[in-house]
Amino acid sequence: MNLMRTVHVSLGSRSYPIFIGGKILSDLGGHCAALQLGRRCAIISDQNVAPLYAAKAAASLRKAGFDPLLATVPAGESSKNLKWFQSCCDLLAGHRLERKSFIVALGGGVVGDLAGFVAAAYLRGIAFVQAPTSLLAQVDSSVGGKVGVNLAAGKNLVGAFHQPRLVLCDLAALRTLQPREFRAGLAEVIKYGIICDQALFARLERDLPLLLRRDGEVLAEVVARCCEIKADIVRQDETETGLRAILNFGHTIGHAIEAMAGYGKYLHGEAIAIGQAAAAKLSVRATGLPAEEAARIEKLLVRAGLPAAIKLSARRQTALIGAMRLDKKVNDGQVRFVLARRIGQVEPGHKIPPAWIRDALAA
Ligand code: GLY
C-alpha cells in the first residue's frame, strides 16, 4: 500500500507525472516545490472535502515554503457553473495571485474541472495541480486536461484544455468516500475495461468484492491501470480530434440524463452507468457486440451497485434525445455514439436512429 506508482502523461512540454499511493497528500508541498512555481497558491476544494483534507494539504504546502489560500465551494455538480467560476477568480484577484502562482484542485471531479478552468482562464492561464480525492477523479477527470463548467443547456459546454503540472492520487482519501460516490467512480473504471482492456474487465468481474471492500493493493493496481490507459489515449489525441472520443463511451446518454434530471440528481458515474448499459444494447444492434458481452457489461454495472436503466415516459424520452443534441460530439446536428464491437474494443462516430435509442432505453 505504501508503494508509490507513477504514470507519465507524455505531452512534450506539457508532460506531467501522476503519482498514486497511500497517504501521499502529506507530500503535496514537496511535489509542488519541484515545479518551481511562485510562493502564493490557492487550494480550491468543496465543503465535504475541505474539512477532511484542506488542513493537511495547506500544512504540507506551508512546510515547503508556500503561502496557500483556501477557497471552498458547496459540494456537488451544482457548483460547477460560471457563478462559482467567477467567485473563485474574484478571490484569486482579491488576494493578488500572480502569473507564477498556482492552484491546487483538492476534491472530486467537480472541484477538479472548476479549479482547472479557473487556472486555465485566470491571468490567461496559471499552473495547477490536481489532488483528486474521489475514485472518479483519480481514474478519469484529473488526468488529461479537460476543464470546464456546465451550462443549464448541457454538461461541460464551457471549458478549455489545460493540463495540470502534476496529479497526486492519494489512495487513503478513497477510504473516506461515501459508498455512493465510490460506486459512481467504479462506472468509469468499468468503462476502461470496455473501451480498451478486456483483461481489466475480466479482473473487475473477478475482484469486484475486493474493490468494494476498498482493498488497498487492488485499488492501487486498478487506479494505476486506468491512469495508464487514459494517459496513453491523451498522449495520442490530447484535444479529442479522434481517438480520445472513446473515453466518452456511455457519456452521450449519460450527460443528457444529468442535464435533463437537473445537475446533482444523478451522480456523473450513475448517469454514465445507465448510458453504458444503453450503449452496450445499441452496440449489439449496430456494431455486432455479442449479446452475452452486453449482458456481462450490464451485470457488472449492477453488481457494482450502479443503475443500468432509467424509467422514462415517452415525453421524457423525447426530451432526453433532444438533450443529446447538445452533446459536444454532435456533428452537423447529428448525435454520434461510441459503440463496442467487443469488450475491450470500441469505435466513435456512430449515427444512431432515435427509434433505436428509445428501444435501448426501454429494454
Ligand atoms: N473524461 C473524458 C476525457 O477526458 O476525455
Side-chain angles (χ1 to χ4, degrees):
M1 177 73 170
N2 284 330
L3 177 80
M4 188 170 80
R5 292 167 167 80
T6 308
V7 174
H8 284 283
V9 184
S10 302
L11 291 169
S13 61
R14 293 178 308 291
S15 299
Y16 53 95
I18 307 168
F19 296 121
I20 301 152
K23 301 195 181 143
I24 53 173
L25 196 55
S26 36
D27 300 332
L28 172 67
H31 285 295
C32 290
L35 300 174
Q36 300 193 312
L37 297 164
R39 226 169 65 76
R40 245 178 263 170
C41 57
I43 300 171
I44 300 184
S45 191
D46 72 29
Q47 286 168 354
N48 287 344
V49 174
L52 296 171
Y53 301 114
K56 187 192 275 187
S60 174
L61 287 165
R62 269 190 220 103
K63 198 168 153 208
F66 295 106
D67 177 15
L69 152 81
L70 175 65
T72 306
V73 302
E77 194 73 32
S78 48
S79 293
K80 207 177 113 176
N81 58 27
L82 289 167
K83 177 179 153 265
W84 283 104
F85 165 77
Q86 174 159 7
S87 300
C88 292
C89 290
D90 284 341
L91 192 79
L92 266 49
H95 283 80
R96 301 279 180 273
L97 264 73
E98 307 161 350
R99 284 235 162 100
K100 288 279 276 179
S101 304
F102 64 100
I103 291 174
V104 176
L106 177 67
V110 166
V111 162
D113 285 10
L114 173 68
F117 188 43
V118 172
Y122 182 71
L123 303 182
R124 297 205 179 90
I126 62 172
F128 88 115
V129 167
Q130 289 271 20
T133 56
S134 74
L135 179 60
L136 187 136
Q138 293 192 356
V139 298
D140 186 50
S141 57
S142 68
V143 177
K146 276 190 184 175
V147 294
V149 295
N150 303 326
L151 297 183
K155 279 274 289 185
N156 301 334
L157 290 186
V158 177
F161 287 100
H162 187 58
Q163 298 295 341
R165 298 287 298 275
L166 162 74
V167 181
L168 219 54
C169 297
D170 189 329
L171 298 170
L174 302 183
R175 300 226 147 266
T176 55
L177 263 191
Q178 294 297 320
R180 184 178 171 202
E181 292 277 353
F182 186 79
R183 288 193 296 263
L186 288 176
E188 294 282 8
V189 172
I190 292 168
K191 177 195 79 178
Y192 286 107
I194 299 169
I195 64 172
C196 57
D197 189 347
Q198 49 132 334
L200 173 64
F201 190 90
R203 179 185 191 169
L204 296 173
E205 290 180 309
R206 190 188 70 226
D207 286 345
L208 186 69
L210 288 170
L211 266 179
L212 288 170
R213 285 207 295 277
R214 306 187 199 184
D215 177 275
E217 202 46 49
V218 177
L219 263 178
E221 285 172 14
V222 166
V223 170
R225 179 65 194 132
C226 294
C227 287
E228 266 170 21
I229 295 172
K230 178 128 191 200
D232 192 43
I233 293 170
V234 169
R235 176 184 61 75
Q236 295 177 65
D237 180 19
E238 182 181 6
T239 55
E240 199 168 309
T241 53
L243 176 73
R244 185 167 177 165
I246 69 172
L247 290 164
N248 292 315
F249 181 77
H251 284 54
T252 304
I253 291 174
H255 281 166
I257 290 172
E258 284 180 90
M260 193 186 74
Y263 296 117
K265 179 161 172 8
Y266 286 93
L267 295 178
H268 175 66
E270 293 167 345
I272 65 143
I274 297 167
Q276 289 185 81
K281 289 188 186 101
L282 289 172
S283 301
V284 173
R285 202 160 173 183
T287 45
L289 176 73
E292 61 275 17
E293 295 200 7
R296 279 174 66 197
I297 291 171
E298 186 169 339
K299 186 169 172 203
L300 186 57
L301 291 166
V302 171
R303 282 178 62 212
L306 289 158
I310 185 168
K311 263 198 167 42
L312 292 174
S313 63
R315 191 179 57 78
R316 300 270 290 162
Q317 273 189 4
T318 305
L320 188 75
I321 292 169
M324 283 176 212
R325 298 226 160 77
L326 273 158
D327 193 271
K328 291 186 297 312
K329 292 164 295 301
V330 164
N331 196 335
D332 284 337
Q334 289 269 1
V335 183
R336 309 284 165 148
F337 281 83
V338 181
L339 296 181
R341 288 200 179 279
R342 302 297 307 247
I343 288 175
Q345 191 197 342
V346 294
E347 48 192 39
H350 286 276
K351 287 191 225 166
I352 295 294
W356 289 21
I357 303 172
R358 285 179 198 281
D359 292 347
L361 289 167

